[in-house]
C-alpha cells in the first residue's frame, strides 16, 4: 500500500531542514559574536540566566497550547465541512487574543518582581553580575508577548503546510539578537543585548504576517470561540503545560547549579547545547514539524495504518541523518568547539570545559532528535497525558543524577545527567507507542537501523584515521588548520557513510535522492516554504 503523504513530508522536511540549517548557522554566528566580545564569562552567564524566566513564560503558555492542542484542533475544524475554515479562524482568533492577554499580564508581573525571581534562580550570583542579570531580564519580558502572536501565526501556517515564512522567522530572530550585540551595545551599553532580543522577536512576528494574511486570516475581537473549544483546549493543553514545566526544570537546574560553579559554566553549557542541537533542529524538529499536520489529518480521518507508516518512516529518516552526525561530532568535538567559538575573549580554558560538556551531550542526540516526533504522534492522537508522565519520569531522573554529578564533575556532570535522562525518555515513549499501535513496521525499522549503524561505524573509522595525516600538513595552532582538519575528517566520514549506504541499498537514501531535485527546483507544491527562546 502506498501513502502519498510521506513524499510531501520528506519534501517539506527538507525545506524546513534547509532553512533550519541556515538558522543554525546564524545562531552559531550569534554565539560566536558573544564569545568573541565577552568570552564565556560573567556577561554571557548573566545574559543566558536573564533569558530563563521570560523563556519559561513563553514555553508554558504559548508552546504548551500550540504544540499540544492548536494544530490538531485547527486542522480538525478545517476538514470538518463547508464552514470549517470560518470556525477554524474563529478558534484561532480566540487563542490569539486570550494568549495575548495572559502573556501580557504575566510579563507585567515579572517586570515588577524581577529582582525576586532572578535571585531565586541564580543563588550563586551577586553584586554587578546579579544587577546585570536583573536589568537584562526585565527588558526581555517583552519577548514572550511578541512571540505569542508569532507562534499563533506559525500554527496557522503549519496547518496549511506552508513552511517558508515559518522557517524564515527564527533566522531573523537570531539576526535581531546579533544586531543587539553589534549595534545596540555601543550606544546603550550591555542592555542593548536585551533590546536585540526584543527586536528579533518583533522580526519573528513581522515576517509571518503577510503569509497569514494571504491564507485569509483577519484579526477580530474574539475571546471565546465556544465553551466546548476551550474545554477541549484546556484538557489537551494543561498536561502539555505541566510537561513543559517539568522540561524547563532541566534548564533551571543548569542555571541554579551552574551559578554556583566556576564563572562561565552556564555559558559553556549553553554553547555546548546549542552546538549539539544543530542536527536536532535541522533533522529532528524539521521532520517532526513536517509530519505533524499529516499525522493529525490521518487520525482525524481514522487512517491508522497510514498513521503508523508515516510515523515509522519519519523516525527512520531522522535516524538516518543524526546517527552518523552524532558519531562524527563526538570524534571531532574539540575541533568543532574551537572553530565555532575560539576567538577573541574565548580562552582555551573556555574551550576545554565547553567541548567536554559537548561530548557528553552528543551521546543523546539520537534520542533528543526523535523525541519531538514521538511526542507529536501522541498529540496527533489527542493524547497529552502519556508524554507528560514520561517527561516527568525523565526529569526526576535528571534531577536525581544532576546534583551529585555536578558536585563531582562540574558542568560535565549536568551534561551526563541530561543525556541519560533523554535516552530513558526515548525508550519509554517508543515502548508505549509500540504497544498502543500494536507494533510499528518492525522488520523494516530494524533492518534500516542495522544499515545505519554499519555505515556509521565505517564513517567513524575513516574520520578518525583522517585526523592524523591532516594534522601533519596543516598548522594546528591556527584557525585555518583546525578548520581544515575538521572539514576534511567530517567530509571524509560522511562520504564513506553515503557510499556504504548505497552499497547496502538504504531505502532512506533513495527517498532523499528522489526529493532533493524536486526541492531544489521549487516544485514541492503546498509544502514549500525550542525555536524556543535563545536556545535555538
Amino acid at each position: 500500500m502506498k501513502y502519498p503523504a510521506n513524499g510531501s513530508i520528506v519534501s517539506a522536511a527538507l525545506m524546513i531542514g534547509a532553512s533550519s540549517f541556515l538558522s543554525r548557522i546564524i545562531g552559531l554566528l550569534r554565539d560566536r559574536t558573544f564569545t568573541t566580545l565577552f568570552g564565556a564569562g560573567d556577561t554571557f552567564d548573566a545574559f543566558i540566566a536573564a533569558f530563563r524566566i521570560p523563556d519559561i513564560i513563553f514555553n508554558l503558555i504559548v508552546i504548551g497550547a500550540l504544540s499540544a492542542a492548536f494544530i490538531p484542533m485547527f486542522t480538525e475544524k478545517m476538514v470538518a465541512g463547508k464552514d470549517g475554515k470560518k470556525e477554524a479562524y474563529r478558534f484561532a482568533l480566540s487563542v490569539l487574543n486570550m494568549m495575548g492577554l495572559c502573556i501580557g499580564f504575566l510579563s507585567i508581573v515579572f517586570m515588577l518582581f524581577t529582582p525576586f525571581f532572578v535571585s531565586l534562580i541564580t543563588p550563586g550570583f551577586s553584586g554587578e553580575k546579579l544587577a546585570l542579570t536583573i536589568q537584562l531580564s526585565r527588558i526581555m519580558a517583552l519577548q514572550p508577548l511578541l512571540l505569542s502572536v508569532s507562534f499563533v501565526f506559525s500554527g496557522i501556517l503549519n496547518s496549511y503546510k506552508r513552511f517558508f515564512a515559518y522557517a524564515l522567522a527564527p533566522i531573523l530572530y537570531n539576526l535581531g539578537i546579533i544586531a543587539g550585540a553589534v549595534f545596540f551595545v555601543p550606544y546603550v551599553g550591555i542592555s542593548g543585548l536585551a533590546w536585540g532580543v526584543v527586536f528579533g522577536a518583533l522580526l519573528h512576528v513581522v515576517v509571518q504576517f503577510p503569509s497569514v494574511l494571504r491564507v485569509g486570516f483577519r484579526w477580530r475581537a474574539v475571546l471565546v470561540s465556544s465553551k466546548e473549544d476551550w474545554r477541549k483546549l484546556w484538557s489537551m493543553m494543561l498536561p502539555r503545560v505541566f510537561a513543559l514545566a517539568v522540561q524547563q526544570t532541566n534548564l533551571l537546574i543548569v542555571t541554579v547549579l551552574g551559578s554556583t560553579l566556576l564563572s562561565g559554566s552556564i555559558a559553556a553549557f549553553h554553547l555546548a547545547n546549542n552546538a549539539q542541537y544543530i542536527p536536532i533542529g535541522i533533522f529532528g524538529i524539521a521532520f517532526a514539524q513536517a509530519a505533524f499536520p499529516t499525522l493529525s489529518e490521518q487520525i482525524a480521518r481514522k487512517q491508522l495504518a497510514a498513521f503508523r507508516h508515516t510515523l515509522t518512516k519519519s523516525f527512520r529518516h531522522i535516524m538516518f541523518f543524526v546517527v552518523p552526525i552524532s558519531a562524527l561530532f563526538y570524534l571531532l568535538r574539540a575541533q568543532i568547539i574551537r572553530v565555532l567559538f575560539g576567538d577573541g575573549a574565548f580562552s582555551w580554558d573556555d574551550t576545554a570545559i565547553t567541548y567536554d560538556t559537548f561530548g557528553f551531550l552528543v551521546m543523546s542526540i539520537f534520542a533528543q532528535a526523535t523525541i519531538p516526533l514521538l511526542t507529536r504522534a501522541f498529540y496527533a492522537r489527542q493524547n497529552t497525558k502519556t508524554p507528560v508522565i514520561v517527561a516527568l519520569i525523565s526529569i526526576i531522573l535528571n534531577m536525581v543524577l544532576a546534583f551529585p554529578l555536578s558536585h563531582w564533575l562540574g558542568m560535565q556532570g549536568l551534561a551526563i545527567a541530561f543525556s541519560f535522562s533523554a535516552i530513558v525518555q526515548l525508550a519509554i515513549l517508543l515502548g508505549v507507542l509500540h504497544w498502543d499501535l500494536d507494533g510499528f513496521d518492525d522488520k523494516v525499522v530494524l533492518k534500516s537501523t542495522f544499515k545505519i549503524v554499519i555505515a556509521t561505524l565505517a564513517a567513524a573509522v575513516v574520520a578518525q584515521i583522517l585526523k592524523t595525516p591532516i594534522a601533519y600538513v596543516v598548522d594546528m595552532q591556527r584557525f585555518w588548520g583546525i578548520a581544515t582538519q575538521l572539514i576534511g575528517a567530517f567530509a571524509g566520514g560522511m562520504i564513506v557513510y553515503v557510499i556504504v549506504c548505497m552499497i547496502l541499498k538504504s531505502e532512506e537514501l533513495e527517498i532523499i535522492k528522489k526529493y532533493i531535485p524536486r526541492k531544489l527546483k521549487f516544485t514541492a507544491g503546498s509544502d514549500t516554504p525550542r525555536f524556543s527562546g535563545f536556545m535555538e
Side-chain angles (χ1 to χ4, degrees):
M1 181 180 294
K2 294 183 178 180
Y3 302 94
N6 284 297
S8 62
I9 288 172
V10 173
S11 181
L14 289 172
M15 180 61 73
I16 295 174
S19 300
S20 180
F21 176 74
L22 179 58
S23 175
R24 300 296 159 185
I25 295 299
I26 301 298
L28 292 173
L29 176 61
R30 172 203 66 202
D31 285 343
R32 187 175 179 85
T33 301
F34 274 74
T35 56
T36 300
L37 294 175
F38 309 110
D42 287 348
T43 300
F44 205 169
D45 275 354
F47 180 77
I48 297 166
F51 235 102
R52 194 59 56 230
I53 295 177
D55 217 33
I56 290 174
I57 294 173
F58 168 73
N59 273 275
L60 297 190
I61 306 299
V62 181
I63 299 299
L66 292 181
S67 63
F70 182 83
I71 291 178
M73 291 182 66
F74 188 88
T75 303
E76 187 176 51
K77 290 179 180 296
M78 288 290 291
V79 301
K82 64 177 183 179
D83 293 328
K85 183 175 180 179
K86 179 180 178 181
E87 291 301 315
Y89 280 172
R90 183 174 174 82
F91 168 69
L93 281 165
S94 68
V95 173
L96 174 64
N97 295 332
M98 288 295 289
M99 191 176 293
L101 290 174
C102 291
I103 293 290
F105 173 75
L106 291 174
S107 295
I108 291 172
V109 170
F110 174 65
M111 292 174 73
L112 292 174
F113 299 99
T114 303
F116 168 76
F117 289 116
V118 170
S119 298
L120 197 64
I121 66 169
T122 56
F125 286 7
S126 61
E128 292 183 2
K129 189 173 184 178
L130 177 61
L132 176 60
T133 306
I134 292 170
Q135 179 189 16
L136 297 178
S137 194
R138 183 170 274 144
I139 297 170
M140 291 182 199
L142 297 172
Q143 177 239 39
L145 181 60
L146 291 169
L147 291 183
S148 67
V149 176
S150 189
F151 269 73
V152 173
F153 292 170
S154 296
I156 294 171
L157 295 178
N158 270 253
S159 297
Y160 272 97
K161 301 179 184 178
R162 297 190 177 188
F163 299 109
F164 181 72
Y166 164 80
L168 188 60
I171 297 174
L172 294 181
Y173 178 77
N174 282 322
L175 288 175
I177 297 175
I178 293 173
V182 176
F183 300 111
F184 296 176
V185 169
Y187 291 98
V188 299
I190 298 299
S191 64
L193 298 176
W195 287 115
V197 172
V198 175
F199 178 58
L202 179 62
L203 294 178
H204 201 284
V205 178
V206 171
V207 72
Q208 297 190 87
F209 186 63
S211 296
V212 172
L213 291 180
R214 279 196 291 271
V215 298
F217 182 79
R218 298 293 184 274
W219 183 86
R220 298 199 312 275
V222 177
L223 285 182
V224 179
S225 55
S226 74
K227 292 182 179 179
E228 180 60 31
D229 281 347
W230 279 92
R231 278 196 293 266
K232 187 174 183 179
L233 180 71
W234 281 105
S235 66
M236 296 174 65
M237 175 182 169
L238 286 178
R240 174 58 174 159
V241 168
F242 178 75
L244 285 168
V246 175
Q247 288 179 349
Q248 288 296 310
T249 304
N250 271 334
L251 298 178
L252 284 176
I253 289 172
V254 172
T255 304
V256 172
L257 296 180
S259 71
T260 65
L261 300 175
L262 294 173
S263 175
S265 292
I266 296 175
F269 187 94
H270 165 82
L271 294 170
N273 188 45
N274 276 5
Q276 67 97 27
Y277 202 82
I278 295 171
I280 300 170
I282 294 174
F283 303 112
I285 301 299
F287 273 99
Q289 289 284 359
F292 191 30
T294 300
L295 292 171
S296 298
E297 184 176 345
Q298 287 169 341
I299 288 297
R301 298 183 185 278
K302 303 186 186 303
Q303 299 171 337
L304 187 59
F307 175 87
R308 184 187 297 113
H309 184 81
T310 299
L311 174 63
T312 55
K313 201 163 191 176
S314 298
F315 181 87
R316 288 158 46 206
H317 286 141
I318 295 171
M319 293 291 281
F320 176 82
F321 287 109
V322 301
V323 171
I325 291 175
S326 300
L328 297 181
F329 269 22
Y330 183 81
L331 292 175
L332 299 166
R333 58 193 183 280
Q335 292 87 343
I336 289 172
I337 296 302
R338 196 61 189 165
V339 166
L340 291 179
F341 311 120
D343 192 19
F346 197 74
S347 67
W348 177 251
D349 288 339
D350 295 335
T351 301
I353 187 175
T354 303
Y355 80 66
D356 280 343
T357 304
F358 177 72
F360 288 115
L361 289 176
V362 299
M363 294 179 180
S364 64
I365 285 178
F366 75 95
Q368 297 178 65
T370 50
I371 285 172
L373 173 69
L374 300 184
T375 302
R376 281 169 174 78
F378 284 101
Y379 296 159
R381 302 180 72 205
Q382 300 188 10
N383 174 3
T384 56
K385 294 181 179 179
T386 299
V388 168
I389 296 172
V390 177
L392 179 60
I393 294 172
S394 173
I395 300 304
I396 290 175
L397 178 60
N398 183 38
M399 291 177 64
V400 169
L401 294 174
F403 284 92
L405 289 177
S406 66
H407 178 71
W408 297 329
L409 302 173
M411 190 53 68
Q412 292 88 341
L414 295 179
I416 294 172
F418 183 92
S419 284
F420 186 75
S421 62
I423 294 171
V424 170
Q425 184 178 1
L426 171 64
I428 298 175
L429 286 173
L430 277 174
V432 174
L433 266 177
H434 192 275
W435 176 271
D436 286 348
L437 297 175
D438 195 25
F440 300 140
D441 298 331
D442 292 335
K443 291 183 179 179
V444 177
V445 172
L446 290 174
K447 183 178 180 181
S448 172
T449 302
F450 176 76
K451 292 179 180 179
I452 290 170
V453 171
I454 294 298
T456 297
L457 289 174
V461 170
V462 170
Q464 184 66 19
I465 291 173
L466 285 175
K467 286 165 60 176
T468 301
I470 294 175
Y472 278 124
V473 298
V474 300
D475 184 356
M476 293 299 293
Q477 301 301 313
R478 305 293 295 273
F479 170 85
W480 68 268
I482 301 173
T484 300
Q485 186 190 51
L486 170 61
I487 295 170
F490 189 90
M494 289 305 298
I495 290 171
V496 169
Y497 177 75
V498 172
I499 292 173
V500 175
C501 284
M502 292 174 63
I503 294 172
L504 297 177
K505 297 181 179 179
S506 167
E507 181 182 345
E508 289 74 34
L509 181 62
E510 293 303 315
I511 291 175
I512 291 160
K513 285 167 58 179
K514 182 189 301 183
Y515 284 98
I516 285 178
R518 178 183 176 187
K519 170 175 161 275
L520 292 176
K521 293 175 184 176
F522 298 99
T523 57
S526 62
D527 287 333
T528 58
R530 197 327 105 188
F531 164 82
S532 169
F534 188 65
M535 299 307 292
E536 295 289 326

